Structure formats: structure tokens, C-alpha cells
Amino acid sequence: GAFAEETGFRLVFTVHGIILAQFVTTVGIATRLIKAAMDEIPHRYEEAAKTLGASPSRAFFTVTLPLCRRGIVASAILTWAKALGEFGATITVAGSMAMKTETLPVAIFMRLASADIEGTAVLVLILIGIGLGLLYVVRIFAKGGRNVSRKTA
């Protein structure tokens, strides 16, 4: 903290603090989701690319990464959704300065603390709408872009 303050890079009560807090709380989830996506790719594909003359890094970038791209994108979407709802670390590092370091969960907390029930309800509905929208996008993406709704005959 002291080094960052001396170099002029402020983290506490700034947008950079929000980004740092959300990154620290979600990097583990993102890593696990991406690892799960990569574990689904059979190693024989990389081995086949290596036998055809590809270096290990070239095999990774031309075989493994394209095969798990949907899992990586789904991981990014779900991690962003988790970061969007982050409260504890964000309010601890960045505080709750209105219109400066106020995220949606912090705004909900502040409206509720000031007994603004209508404002709280609107913000909660916005957060729920964003969450449901993201889940729908992930569901479509996981199905490979096919139509998710079932047509009845």
C-alpha cells in the first residue's frame, strides 16, 4: 500500500480499487472454469499436432485454445457476472462514494440503509435482470448457438 501511494498509484477509494477488489475475488473462479474447459480437450489432439511438426506452444494456440474457446467465453461471462455482484471486497477497498466508487451492490446497500425502498427495489430488479440475461446468454452459448426454446409440435 505504501509503495503504491508513494508512486502516485492510488487504489483505496478509486475505480482502480474496484477493479483490483473484483479481480482478486474472481480470479480463482475464472481459473477453475477455464481449467475445466481445457480438461475436456483430449490430449491426443495436441499430441497429433506435435507429431505433425507443431511445437508445444503452436499446438496449444492452434489446437487446444480454439477447441475450448466456448468454455473460455462462458467463463469470462460468468466471472464478470460474479464481479458485478461483488460487495464485501469492493466496499472494503473502494468505499461507497456516490457516483465515484459506487457499484450496483453498494448502491443497493446504501439505498436500503437510507430507507429508500423504491430505489432499492429498482436497483435489485436491474441486478436480477442483468443476471438472468447473462444466464440466458451463457445457456445459448453453451448449446452452440442453437435455439434454446423448445418448439412443441
Side-chain angles (χ1 to χ4, degrees), residues 59-134:
F60 174 76
F61 285 111
T62 60
V63 177
T64 305
L65 211 54
L67 287 173
C68 67
R69 76 179 180 281
R70 287 189 352 196
I72 292 172
V73 172
S75 168
I77 292 169
L78 291 172
T79 303
W80 182 79
K82 163 73 170 97
L84 182 67
E86 178 56 43
F87 176 77
T90 303
I91 200 166
T92 301
V93 175
S96 62
M97 292 185 283
M99 303 306 289
K100 185 173 182 190
T101 62
E102 189 176 41
T103 61
L104 200 51
V106 172
I108 291 170
F109 174 75
M110 297 307 291
R111 297 271 186 323
L112 194 57
S114 65
D116 180 9
I117 302 301
E118 293 83 15
T120 302
V122 168
L123 292 175
V124 166
L125 289 174
I126 290 170
L127 195 57
I128 289 171
I130 291 170
L132 291 175
L134 283 172

